[in-house]
Coordinates of all heavy atoms in Angstrom, one line a residue:
M1 N 0.9 -1.2 0.0 CA 0.0 0.0 0.0 C 0.9 1.2 0.0 O 1.9 1.3 0.6 CB -0.9 0.0 1.2 CG -1.7 1.3 1.3 SD -2.7 1.6 2.8 CE -2.7 0.1 3.7
N2 N 0.5 2.2 -0.7 CA 1.1 3.5 -0.7 C 1.2 4.1 0.7 O 0.3 4.2 1.4 CB 0.4 4.4 -1.7 CG 0.9 5.8 -1.8 OD1 0.9 6.6 -0.9 ND2 1.4 6.1 -3.0
Q3 N 2.4 4.6 1.0 CA 2.7 5.1 2.4 C 1.9 6.4 2.6 O 1.5 6.7 3.7 CB 4.2 5.4 2.6 CG 5.0 4.1 2.6 CD 4.5 3.1 3.7 OE1 4.4 3.5 4.8 NE2 4.3 1.9 3.3
I4 N 1.7 7.2 1.6 CA 0.9 8.4 1.7 C -0.6 8.1 2.0 O -1.2 8.7 2.9 CB 1.0 9.3 0.5 CG1 2.4 9.8 0.4 CG2 0.0 10.5 0.5 CD1 2.7 10.5 -0.9
L5 N -1.1 7.1 1.4 CA -2.5 6.6 1.6 C -2.6 6.1 3.0 O -3.5 6.5 3.8 CB -2.9 5.6 0.6 CG -4.3 5.0 0.8 CD1 -5.3 6.1 0.7 CD2 -4.5 3.9 -0.3
L6 N -1.6 5.3 3.5 CA -1.7 4.7 4.8 C -1.6 5.8 5.9 O -2.4 5.9 6.8 CB -0.5 3.7 5.0 CG -0.4 3.1 6.4 CD1 -1.7 2.4 6.8 CD2 0.8 2.2 6.5
G7 N -0.7 6.8 5.7 CA -0.5 7.9 6.6 C -1.8 8.7 6.7 O -2.2 9.2 7.7
S8 N -2.5 8.9 5.5 CA -3.7 9.6 5.5 C -4.8 8.9 6.2 O -5.6 9.5 6.9 CB -4.2 9.8 4.0 OG -3.2 10.6 3.3
L9 N -4.9 7.6 6.1 CA -5.9 6.8 6.8 C -5.6 6.8 8.3 O -6.5 6.7 9.1 CB -5.9 5.3 6.3 CG -6.4 5.1 4.9 CD1 -6.3 3.7 4.5 CD2 -7.9 5.6 4.9
L10 N -4.3 6.9 8.7 CA -4.0 7.1 10.2 C -4.5 8.4 10.7 O -4.6 8.6 11.9 CB -2.5 6.9 10.4 CG -2.0 5.4 10.2 CD1 -0.5 5.4 10.2 CD2 -2.6 4.5 11.3
G11 N -4.6 9.4 9.8 CA -5.0 10.7 10.2 C -6.5 10.9 9.9 O -7.4 10.2 10.2
D12 N -6.8 12.0 9.1 CA -8.1 12.4 8.9 C -8.7 11.8 7.6 O -9.9 12.0 7.3 CB -8.2 14.0 8.7 CG -7.9 14.7 10.0 OD1 -8.2 14.1 11.1 OD2 -7.5 15.8 10.0
G13 N -7.9 11.1 6.8 CA -8.5 10.4 5.6 C -9.4 9.3 6.0 O -9.3 8.7 7.1
S14 N -10.2 8.9 5.1 CA -11.2 7.8 5.3 C -11.5 7.1 4.0 O -11.3 7.6 2.9 CB -12.5 8.3 5.9 OG -13.1 9.2 5.0
L15 N -11.9 5.9 4.1 CA -12.4 5.1 3.0 C -13.9 5.1 3.2 O -14.4 4.9 4.3 CB -11.8 3.7 3.0 CG -10.3 3.6 2.8 CD1 -9.8 2.2 3.0 CD2 -10.0 4.1 1.4
R16 N -14.7 5.2 2.1 CA -16.1 5.2 2.1 C -16.7 4.4 1.0 O -16.2 4.4 -0.1 CB -16.6 6.7 2.0 CG -16.1 7.6 3.1 CD -16.6 9.0 2.8 NE -16.3 9.9 3.9 CZ -16.6 11.1 4.0 NH1 -17.4 11.7 3.0 NH2 -16.3 11.8 5.0
L17 N -17.9 3.9 1.3 CA -18.7 3.3 0.2 C -19.7 4.4 0.0 O -20.5 4.8 0.8 CB -19.4 2.1 0.7 CG -18.5 0.8 0.9 CD1 -19.3 -0.3 1.5 CD2 -17.9 0.4 -0.4
P18 N -19.6 5.1 -1.2 CA -20.5 6.3 -1.5 C -22.0 6.1 -1.4 O -22.7 7.0 -1.0 CB -20.1 6.7 -2.9 CG -18.8 6.0 -3.1 CD -18.7 4.8 -2.3
H19 N -22.4 4.9 -1.7 CA -23.9 4.6 -1.7 C -24.1 3.2 -1.2 O -23.2 2.4 -1.2 CB -24.5 4.7 -3.1 CG -24.1 6.0 -3.8 ND1 -24.8 7.2 -3.5 CD2 -23.3 6.3 -4.8 CE1 -24.3 8.2 -4.2 NE2 -23.4 7.7 -5.0
D20 N -25.3 2.9 -0.7 CA -25.6 1.6 -0.3 C -25.4 0.5 -1.3 O -25.1 -0.6 -1.0 CB -27.1 1.5 0.2 CG -27.3 2.3 1.5 OD1 -26.3 2.6 2.2 OD2 -28.5 2.6 1.7
R21 N -25.5 0.9 -2.6 CA -25.4 -0.1 -3.7 C -24.0 -0.1 -4.3 O -23.7 -0.8 -5.2 CB -26.3 0.3 -4.8 CG -27.8 0.3 -4.4 CD -28.7 0.6 -5.5 NE -28.2 1.8 -6.2 CZ -28.8 3.0 -6.2 NH1 -29.9 3.2 -5.5 NH2 -28.3 4.0 -6.8
S22 N -23.0 0.7 -3.7 CA -21.7 0.7 -4.2 C -20.9 -0.6 -4.0 O -21.0 -1.2 -3.0 CB -20.9 1.8 -3.5 OG -21.4 3.1 -3.7
L23 N -20.3 -1.0 -5.1 CA -19.5 -2.2 -5.0 C -18.1 -1.9 -4.5 O -17.4 -2.8 -4.0 CB -19.4 -2.8 -6.5 CG -20.7 -3.2 -7.1 CD1 -20.4 -3.8 -8.5 CD2 -21.3 -4.3 -6.2
N24 N -17.6 -0.7 -4.7 CA -16.2 -0.4 -4.4 C -16.1 0.9 -3.5 O -17.0 1.8 -3.6 CB -15.3 -0.2 -5.6 CG -15.1 -1.5 -6.3 OD1 -14.8 -2.5 -5.7 ND2 -15.4 -1.6 -7.6
A25 N -15.1 1.0 -2.7 CA -14.8 2.1 -1.8 C -14.0 3.2 -2.5 O -13.3 2.9 -3.5 CB -14.2 1.7 -0.6
R26 N -14.0 4.4 -1.9 CA -13.2 5.5 -2.4 C -12.5 6.1 -1.2 O -13.0 6.0 0.0 CB -14.0 6.5 -3.1 CG -14.9 7.3 -2.3 CD -15.5 8.6 -2.9 NE -15.8 8.4 -4.3 CZ -16.8 8.9 -5.0 NH1 -17.7 9.6 -4.4 NH2 -16.9 8.8 -6.3
F27 N -11.4 6.8 -1.4 CA -10.7 7.5 -0.4 C -11.3 8.9 -0.3 O -11.6 9.5 -1.4 CB -9.2 7.6 -0.7 CG -8.4 8.5 0.2 CD1 -8.1 8.1 1.5 CD2 -8.0 9.7 -0.2 CE1 -7.4 8.9 2.4 CE2 -7.3 10.5 0.6 CZ -7.0 10.1 1.9
F28 N -11.4 9.5 0.9 CA -11.9 10.9 1.0 C -11.1 11.6 2.1 O -10.7 11.0 3.1 CB -13.3 10.9 1.4 CG -13.9 12.3 1.7 CD1 -14.3 13.1 0.7 CD2 -13.9 12.7 3.0 CE1 -14.8 14.4 1.0 CE2 -14.4 14.0 3.3 CZ -14.8 14.8 2.3
E29 N -10.8 12.9 1.9 CA -10.2 13.7 2.9 C -10.5 15.2 2.6 O -10.7 15.6 1.5 CB -8.7 13.5 2.8 CG -7.9 14.0 3.9 CD -6.4 13.6 3.8 OE1 -5.7 14.0 2.9 OE2 -6.0 12.8 4.7
A30 N -10.7 16.0 3.7 CA -11.0 17.4 3.5 C -9.9 18.2 4.2 O -9.4 17.8 5.3 CB -12.4 17.7 4.2
H31 N -9.6 19.4 3.6 CA -8.6 20.3 4.2 C -9.1 21.7 4.0 O -9.8 22.1 3.1 CB -7.3 20.1 3.5 CG -6.6 18.8 3.7 ND1 -5.9 18.6 4.9 CD2 -6.6 17.7 3.0 CE1 -5.5 17.3 4.8 NE2 -5.9 16.8 3.7
K32 N -8.7 22.6 5.0 CA -9.0 24.0 4.9 C -8.5 24.6 3.6 O -7.5 24.1 3.1 CB -8.4 24.8 6.1 CG -9.0 24.4 7.4 CD -8.3 25.2 8.5 CE -8.8 24.9 9.8 NZ -8.2 25.7 10.9
V33 N -9.1 25.6 3.1 CA -8.7 26.2 1.8 C -7.2 26.7 1.9 O -6.5 26.7 0.8 CB -9.6 27.3 1.4 CG1 -11.0 26.8 1.0 CG2 -9.7 28.4 2.4
V34 N -6.7 27.1 3.0 CA -5.3 27.5 3.1 C -4.3 26.4 2.8 O -3.2 26.7 2.6 CB -5.0 28.2 4.5 CG1 -5.9 29.4 4.7 CG2 -5.2 27.2 5.6
H35 N -4.8 25.2 2.8 CA -4.0 24.0 2.6 C -4.2 23.5 1.2 O -3.9 22.3 0.9 CB -4.2 22.9 3.6 CG -3.9 23.4 5.0 ND1 -4.7 23.0 6.1 CD2 -2.9 24.2 5.5 CE1 -4.2 23.5 7.2 NE2 -3.1 24.3 6.9
E36 N -4.6 24.3 0.2 CA -4.8 23.9 -1.1 C -3.6 23.3 -1.8 O -3.6 22.3 -2.5 CB -5.4 25.0 -2.0 CG -5.7 24.5 -3.4 CD -6.3 25.6 -4.3 OE1 -6.3 26.8 -3.9 OE2 -6.8 25.2 -5.3
A37 N -2.4 23.9 -1.5 CA -1.2 23.4 -2.1 C -0.9 22.0 -1.6 O -0.4 21.1 -2.4 CB 0.0 24.3 -1.7
Y38 N -1.2 21.7 -0.4 CA -1.0 20.3 0.2 C -2.0 19.3 -0.5 O -1.6 18.2 -0.9 CB -1.2 20.3 1.7 CG -1.2 18.9 2.3 CD1 0.0 18.2 2.3 CD2 -2.3 18.4 2.9 CE1 0.1 16.9 2.8 CE2 -2.3 17.1 3.4 CZ -1.1 16.4 3.4 OH -1.0 15.1 3.9
V39 N -3.2 19.8 -0.7 CA -4.2 18.9 -1.4 C -3.7 18.6 -2.8 O -3.8 17.5 -3.3 CB -5.6 19.6 -1.5 CG1 -6.6 18.8 -2.4 CG2 -6.2 19.8 -0.1
N40 N -3.2 19.6 -3.5 CA -2.7 19.4 -4.9 C -1.5 18.5 -4.9 O -1.3 17.6 -5.7 CB -2.3 20.8 -5.5 CG -3.5 21.6 -5.8 OD1 -4.6 21.2 -5.9 ND2 -3.2 22.9 -5.8
W41 N -0.6 18.6 -3.9 CA 0.6 17.7 -3.7 C 0.1 16.3 -3.5 O 0.6 15.4 -4.1 CB 1.4 18.2 -2.5 CG 2.6 17.3 -2.2 CD1 3.8 17.4 -2.7 CD2 2.6 16.2 -1.3 NE1 4.6 16.4 -2.2 CE2 3.9 15.7 -1.3 CE3 1.6 15.7 -0.4 CZ2 4.2 14.6 -0.5 CZ3 2.0 14.6 0.4 CH2 3.3 14.1 0.3
K42 N -0.9 16.1 -2.6 CA -1.4 14.8 -2.4 C -2.0 14.2 -3.6 O -1.9 13.0 -3.9 CB -2.3 14.8 -1.2 CG -2.7 13.4 -0.7 CD -3.5 13.4 0.5 CE -2.6 13.6 1.7 NZ -3.3 13.3 3.0
M43 N -2.7 15.0 -4.4 CA -3.4 14.5 -5.6 C -2.3 14.0 -6.6 O -2.5 12.9 -7.2 CB -4.2 15.6 -6.2 CG -5.5 15.9 -5.5 SD -6.4 17.2 -6.3 CE -6.8 16.4 -7.8
E44 N -1.2 14.6 -6.7 CA -0.1 14.2 -7.5 C 0.4 12.8 -7.1 O 0.7 12.0 -7.9 CB 1.0 15.2 -7.6 CG 0.6 16.5 -8.3 CD 1.8 17.5 -8.2 OE1 2.9 17.2 -7.8 OE2 1.5 18.7 -8.6
R45 N 0.6 12.7 -5.8 CA 1.2 11.5 -5.2 C 0.2 10.3 -5.3 O 0.7 9.1 -5.3 CB 1.6 11.7 -3.8 CG 2.7 12.7 -3.5 CD 3.8 12.7 -4.5 NE 4.9 13.7 -4.3 CZ 4.9 14.9 -4.6 NH1 3.9 15.5 -5.2 NH2 6.0 15.7 -4.4
L46 N -1.1 10.6 -5.3 CA -2.1 9.5 -5.3 C -2.7 9.4 -6.7 O -3.8 8.9 -6.9 CB -3.2 9.8 -4.3 CG -2.7 9.8 -2.8 CD1 -3.9 10.2 -1.9 CD2 -2.1 8.5 -2.4
A47 N -2.0 9.8 -7.7 CA -2.5 9.8 -9.1 C -3.0 8.4 -9.5 O -4.0 8.3 -10.3 CB -1.4 10.3 -10.1
W48 N -2.4 7.4 -9.0 CA -2.9 6.0 -9.4 C -4.3 5.7 -8.9 O -4.9 4.8 -9.4 CB -1.9 5.0 -8.9 CG -1.7 5.0 -7.4 CD1 -1.0 5.9 -6.7 CD2 -2.2 4.1 -6.4 NE1 -1.0 5.7 -5.3 CE2 -1.8 4.6 -5.2 CE3 -3.1 3.0 -6.5 CZ2 -2.1 3.9 -4.0 CZ3 -3.4 2.4 -5.3 CH2 -2.9 2.8 -4.1
L49 N -4.8 6.5 -8.0 CA -6.2 6.4 -7.5 C -7.2 7.3 -8.2 O -8.3 7.3 -7.8 CB -6.2 6.7 -6.0 CG -5.4 5.7 -5.1 CD1 -5.4 6.2 -3.6 CD2 -6.0 4.3 -5.2
K50 N -6.7 8.0 -9.2 CA -7.6 8.9 -10.0 C -8.3 9.9 -9.1 O -9.5 10.0 -9.1 CB -8.6 8.1 -10.8 CG -7.9 7.1 -11.7 CD -8.9 6.2 -12.4 CE -8.1 5.1 -13.1 NZ -8.9 3.9 -13.3
P51 N -7.5 10.7 -8.3 CA -8.1 11.7 -7.4 C -8.8 12.9 -8.1 O -8.4 13.2 -9.2 CB -6.9 12.1 -6.5 CG -5.8 12.0 -7.4 CD -6.1 10.8 -8.3
R52 N -9.7 13.5 -7.4 CA -10.4 14.7 -7.9 C -10.5 15.6 -6.7 O -10.5 15.2 -5.5 CB -11.8 14.4 -8.4 CG -11.8 13.5 -9.6 CD -13.2 13.2 -10.0 NE -13.1 12.2 -11.1 CZ -13.8 12.3 -12.2 NH1 -14.6 13.3 -12.4 NH2 -13.7 11.4 -13.1
K53 N -10.5 16.9 -7.0 CA -10.7 17.9 -5.9 C -12.0 18.7 -6.1 O -12.3 19.1 -7.2 CB -9.5 18.9 -6.0 CG -9.5 20.0 -5.0 CD -8.3 20.9 -5.0 CE -8.1 21.6 -6.3 NZ -7.0 22.6 -6.3
M54 N -12.7 18.9 -5.1 CA -13.9 19.6 -5.1 C -13.8 20.8 -4.1 O -13.3 20.7 -3.0 CB -15.1 18.8 -4.7 CG -16.4 19.5 -4.8 SD -17.9 18.5 -4.4 CE -17.4 17.2 -3.5
G55 N -14.2 22.0 -4.6 CA -14.2 23.1 -3.6 C -13.7 24.4 -4.3 O -13.4 24.4 -5.4
P56 N -13.7 25.4 -3.4 CA -14.0 25.2 -2.0 C -15.4 25.0 -1.7 O -16.3 25.5 -2.4 CB -13.5 26.6 -1.4 CG -13.5 27.5 -2.5 CD -13.3 26.7 -3.8
V57 N -15.6 24.1 -0.7 CA -17.0 23.7 -0.3 C -17.1 24.3 1.2 O -16.2 24.2 2.0 CB -17.1 22.2 -0.2 CG1 -18.4 21.8 0.4 CG2 -16.9 21.6 -1.6
G58 N -18.3 24.9 1.4 CA -18.5 25.4 2.8 C -19.3 24.5 3.6 O -20.3 23.9 3.2
S59 N -18.9 24.4 4.9 CA -19.7 23.6 5.8 C -19.8 24.5 7.1 O -18.9 25.2 7.4 CB -19.2 22.2 6.1 OG -17.9 22.3 6.6
R60 N -20.9 24.3 7.8 CA -21.1 25.1 9.1 C -20.9 24.2 10.3 O -21.3 23.1 10.3 CB -22.4 25.8 9.0 CG -22.6 26.8 7.9 CD -23.8 27.7 8.1 NE -23.9 28.6 7.0 CZ -23.3 29.8 7.0 NH1 -22.5 30.2 8.0 NH2 -23.5 30.6 5.9
D61 N -20.3 24.8 11.3 CA -20.2 24.1 12.6 C -21.4 24.3 13.4 O -22.4 24.9 13.0 CB -18.9 24.6 13.3 CG -18.9 26.0 13.7 OD1 -20.0 26.7 13.7 OD2 -17.8 26.5 14.0
N62 N -21.4 23.8 14.6 CA -22.6 23.9 15.5 C -23.0 25.4 15.8 O -24.1 25.6 16.2 CB -22.3 23.2 16.8 CG -22.2 21.7 16.6 OD1 -22.6 21.2 15.6 ND2 -21.5 21.0 17.5
R63 N -22.1 26.3 15.7 CA -22.3 27.7 16.0 C -22.7 28.5 14.8 O -23.0 29.7 14.8 CB -21.1 28.4 16.6 CG -20.7 27.8 17.9 CD -19.5 28.4 18.5 NE -19.1 27.8 19.8 CZ -18.0 28.1 20.4 NH1 -17.2 29.0 19.9 NH2 -17.7 27.4 21.5
G64 N -22.8 27.8 13.6 CA -23.2 28.5 12.4 C -22.0 29.1 11.6 O -22.2 29.8 10.6
N65 N -20.8 29.0 12.1 CA -19.6 29.5 11.4 C -19.3 28.7 10.2 O -19.3 27.5 10.2 CB -18.4 29.6 12.4 CG -18.7 30.4 13.6 OD1 -19.2 31.5 13.5 ND2 -18.3 29.9 14.8
L66 N -19.0 29.4 9.1 CA -18.7 28.8 7.8 C -17.2 28.4 7.8 O -16.4 29.2 8.1 CB -19.0 29.7 6.7 CG -18.9 29.2 5.3 CD1 -19.8 28.0 5.1 CD2 -19.1 30.3 4.3
H67 N -16.9 27.2 7.4 CA -15.6 26.7 7.3 C -15.4 26.1 5.9 O -15.6 25.0 5.6 CB -15.3 25.6 8.3 CG -15.4 26.1 9.7 ND1 -14.4 26.8 10.3 CD2 -16.4 26.0 10.6 CE1 -14.8 27.1 11.6 NE2 -16.0 26.6 11.7
P68 N -14.9 27.0 4.9 CA -14.6 26.5 3.6 C -13.5 25.5 3.5 O -12.5 25.7 4.3 CB -14.4 27.8 2.8 CG -14.0 28.8 3.8 CD -14.6 28.4 5.1
S69 N -13.6 24.5 2.7 CA -12.5 23.5 2.6 C -12.5 22.9 1.2 O -13.5 23.1 0.4 CB -12.8 22.4 3.6 OG -14.0 21.7 3.4
F70 N -11.4 22.2 0.9 CA -11.3 21.4 -0.3 C -11.5 20.0 0.0 O -11.0 19.5 1.0 CB -10.0 21.6 -1.0 CG -9.8 22.9 -1.7 CD1 -9.1 24.0 -1.2 CD2 -10.4 23.1 -2.9 CE1 -9.0 25.2 -1.8 CE2 -10.3 24.3 -3.6 CZ -9.6 25.4 -3.0
H71 N -12.2 19.3 -0.8 CA -12.5 17.9 -0.6 C -11.7 17.1 -1.7 O -11.8 17.4 -2.9 CB -13.9 17.5 -0.7 CG -14.8 18.1 0.4 ND1 -16.1 17.8 0.5 CD2 -14.5 18.8 1.4 CE1 -16.6 18.4 1.5 NE2 -15.6 19.0 2.1
L72 N -10.9 16.2 -1.3 CA -10.1 15.3 -2.2 C -10.8 13.9 -2.1 O -11.1 13.4 -1.0 CB -8.7 15.2 -1.7 CG -7.7 14.4 -2.5 CD1 -6.3 14.9 -2.3 CD2 -7.8 12.9 -2.3
Y73 N -11.2 13.4 -3.2 CA -11.8 12.1 -3.2 C -11.3 11.3 -4.5 O -10.8 11.9 -5.4 CB -13.3 12.1 -3.2 CG -13.9 12.8 -4.4 CD1 -14.4 12.1 -5.5 CD2 -14.0 14.2 -4.4 CE1 -15.0 12.8 -6.6 CE2 -14.6 14.9 -5.5 CZ -15.0 14.1 -6.6 OH -15.6 14.8 -7.7
T74 N -11.3 10.0 -4.4 CA -10.8 9.2 -5.5 C -11.9 8.5 -6.2 O -13.0 8.5 -5.8 CB -9.7 8.2 -5.0 OG1 -10.4 7.2 -4.2 CG2 -8.6 8.8 -4.2
A75 N -11.5 7.8 -7.3 CA -12.4 6.9 -7.9 C -12.7 5.7 -7.0 O -12.0 5.5 -6.0 CB -11.8 6.4 -9.2
C76 N -13.8 5.1 -7.2 CA -14.2 3.9 -6.5 C -13.5 2.7 -7.1 O -13.7 2.4 -8.3 CB -15.7 3.7 -6.5 SG -16.6 5.0 -5.8
L77 N -12.6 2.1 -6.4 CA -11.7 1.1 -6.9 C -11.7 -0.2 -6.1 O -11.8 -0.1 -4.8 CB -10.3 1.6 -7.0 CG -10.1 2.9 -7.9 CD1 -8.7 3.5 -7.6 CD2 -10.3 2.5 -9.3
P78 N -11.5 -1.4 -6.7 CA -11.5 -2.6 -6.0 C -10.3 -2.7 -5.0 O -10.5 -3.2 -3.9 CB -11.2 -3.7 -7.1 CG -11.7 -3.0 -8.3 CD -11.5 -1.6 -8.2
E79 N -9.2 -2.0 -5.3 CA -8.1 -2.0 -4.3 C -8.5 -1.3 -3.0 O -8.0 -1.7 -1.9 CB -6.9 -1.3 -4.9 CG -6.3 -1.9 -6.2 CD -6.9 -1.3 -7.5 OE1 -8.2 -1.0 -7.5 OE2 -6.2 -1.1 -8.4
L80 N -9.2 -0.3 -3.1 CA -9.7 0.5 -1.9 C -10.7 -0.3 -1.2 O -10.8 -0.2 0.0 CB -10.2 1.9 -2.3 CG -9.1 2.8 -2.9 CD1 -9.7 4.1 -3.4 CD2 -8.0 3.0 -1.9
T81 N -11.5 -1.1 -1.9 CA -12.5 -1.9 -1.2 C -11.9 -3.0 -0.4 O -12.3 -3.3 0.7 CB -13.4 -2.6 -2.3 OG1 -14.0 -1.6 -3.1 CG2 -14.5 -3.4 -1.6
E82 N -10.8 -3.6 -0.8 CA -10.0 -4.5 0.0 C -9.5 -3.9 1.3 O -9.6 -4.5 2.4 CB -8.8 -5.1 -0.8 CG -9.3 -6.0 -1.9 CD -10.1 -7.2 -1.5 OE1 -9.8 -7.8 -0.5 OE2 -11.2 -7.4 -2.1
L83 N -9.0 -2.6 1.2 CA -8.6 -1.9 2.4 C -9.7 -1.6 3.3 O -9.6 -1.6 4.5 CB -7.8 -0.6 2.0 CG -6.5 -0.8 1.2 CD1 -6.0 0.5 0.8 CD2 -5.5 -1.6 2.1
Y84 N -10.9 -1.2 2.7 CA -12.1 -0.9 3.4 C -12.5 -2.1 4.3 O -12.8 -2.0 5.4 CB -13.2 -0.5 2.5 CG -14.5 -0.1 3.2 CD1 -14.7 1.1 3.8 CD2 -15.5 -1.1 3.4 CE1 -15.8 1.5 4.4 CE2 -16.7 -0.8 4.0 CZ -16.8 0.5 4.6 OH -18.0 0.8 5.3
K85 N -12.5 -3.3 3.6 CA -12.9 -4.5 4.4 C -11.9 -4.8 5.5 O -12.3 -5.3 6.6 CB -12.9 -5.7 3.4 CG -14.1 -5.6 2.4 CD -14.0 -6.8 1.4 CE -15.1 -6.7 0.4 NZ -14.9 -7.8 -0.6
K86 N -10.6 -4.5 5.3 CA -9.6 -4.8 6.3 C -9.7 -3.8 7.5 O -9.6 -4.2 8.6 CB -8.2 -4.7 5.7 CG -7.1 -5.0 6.6 CD -5.8 -4.9 5.9 CE -4.6 -5.2 6.8 NZ -3.3 -5.2 6.1
Y87 N -9.8 -2.5 7.2 CA -9.7 -1.4 8.2 C -11.1 -0.9 8.7 O -11.1 -0.2 9.6 CB -8.9 -0.3 7.7 CG -7.5 -0.6 7.4 CD1 -6.9 -0.5 6.2 CD2 -6.7 -1.1 8.5 CE1 -5.6 -0.9 6.0 CE2 -5.4 -1.5 8.3 CZ -4.8 -1.3 7.0 OH -3.5 -1.7 6.8
Y88 N -12.2 -1.4 8.1 CA -13.5 -1.0 8.5 C -14.4 -2.2 8.6 O -15.4 -2.3 8.0 CB -14.2 0.0 7.5 CG -13.5 1.3 7.3 CD1 -12.3 1.5 6.7 CD2 -14.2 2.5 7.8 CE1 -11.7 2.7 6.6 CE2 -13.6 3.7 7.7 CZ -12.4 3.8 7.1 OH -11.8 5.1 6.9
P89 N -14.0 -3.2 9.5 CA -14.7 -4.4 9.5 C -16.2 -4.4 9.9 O -17.0 -5.2 9.5 CB -13.9 -5.2 10.6 CG -13.2 -4.2 11.4 CD -12.9 -3.1 10.5
K90 N -16.5 -3.3 10.7 CA -17.9 -3.2 11.0 C -18.4 -1.8 10.6 O -19.3 -1.2 11.3 CB -18.1 -3.4 12.5 CG -17.8 -4.8 12.9 CD -18.0 -5.0 14.4 CE -17.6 -6.5 14.8 NZ -17.8 -6.7 16.2
G91 N -17.8 -1.2 9.6 CA -18.2 0.1 9.1 C -17.6 1.2 9.8 O -17.9 2.4 9.5
K92 N -16.7 1.0 10.7 CA -16.0 2.0 11.5 C -14.5 1.7 11.4 O -14.1 0.6 11.5 CB -16.5 2.0 12.9 CG -15.9 3.2 13.7 CD -16.5 3.2 15.1 CE -15.8 4.4 15.9 NZ -16.4 4.6 17.2
K93 N -13.7 2.8 11.2 CA -12.3 2.6 11.0 C -11.6 2.1 12.3 O -11.8 2.6 13.4 CB -11.7 4.0 10.7 CG -10.2 3.9 10.4 CD -9.5 5.1 9.7 CE -9.9 6.5 10.2 NZ -9.1 7.6 9.6
I94 N -10.9 1.0 12.1 CA -10.1 0.3 13.1 C -8.7 0.1 12.6 O -8.6 -0.8 11.7 CB -10.8 -1.0 13.6 CG1 -12.1 -0.7 14.2 CG2 -9.9 -1.6 14.7 CD1 -12.9 -1.9 14.6
L95 N -7.7 0.8 13.0 CA -6.4 0.5 12.6 C -5.5 0.0 13.7 O -5.5 0.5 14.8 CB -5.7 1.9 12.1 CG -6.5 2.6 10.9 CD1 -5.8 3.9 10.7 CD2 -6.4 1.7 9.7
G96 N -4.9 -1.1 13.5 CA -4.1 -1.7 14.5 C -3.4 -2.9 14.2 O -3.5 -3.5 13.2

C-alpha cells in the first residue's frame, strides 16, 4: 500500500462506500482552503487512485460559522474496497 495513503488513513483520511449499492470504496479527505497546495501535492502522489478535488466547499459548525474546505476524493476502486474490508470491519475505522 502507498505510504501516503496509509498515513492519510491514520489521520483524517477515510475510506467510504459512497452509496448503499456501491461495489467499491473510495478515499476521502477534507482540508481547509489555506492548505490547497497540500491537497494538490497529495493528488499528484495519489495519481494512481484517480483523485479529484472539489471546492472550495463550505460547511457550518454547531455555532453556524462557515468553514470552507477542499475535498479530495478518488475513484471507487477494488483495491480500496479490499482496504475498506480490512480497516472498516464493522463500518467504522479500526487501525491496529
Side-chain angles (χ1 to χ4, degrees):
M1 175 187 350
N2 179 292
Q3 295 301 309
I4 294 172
L5 178 60
L6 178 59
S8 297
L9 290 174
L10 289 170
D12 292 333
S14 64
L15 295 172
R16 299 177 174 185
L17 293 171
H19 307 284
D20 292 340
R21 299 180 313 251
S22 295
L23 297 177
N24 291 310
R26 70 169 33 143
F27 172 76
F28 174 84
E29 195 170 64
H31 292 279
K32 293 180 180 181
V33 293
V34 297
H35 299 142
E36 182 178 14
Y38 176 65
V39 172
N40 293 337
W41 175 87
K42 189 172 277 192
M43 287 180 64
E44 290 175 11
R45 300 316 184 275
L46 298 177
W48 59 283
L49 294 174
K50 303 172 186 154
R52 296 175 188 230
K53 178 175 68 175
M54 181 176 22
V57 176
S59 60
R60 296 195 181 272
D61 62 19
N62 294 340
R63 297 180 184 171
N65 299 316
L66 185 63
H67 298 281
S69 62
F70 283 103
H71 293 183
L72 183 154
Y73 62 97
T74 67
C76 297
L77 300 168
E79 300 94 319
L80 295 176
T81 304
E82 291 302 314
L83 294 174
Y84 180 84
K85 289 176 183 176
K86 180 177 181 179
Y87 294 119
Y88 293 73
K90 295 181 181 178
K92 184 173 180 176
K93 183 167 44 173
I94 299 173
L95 301 173

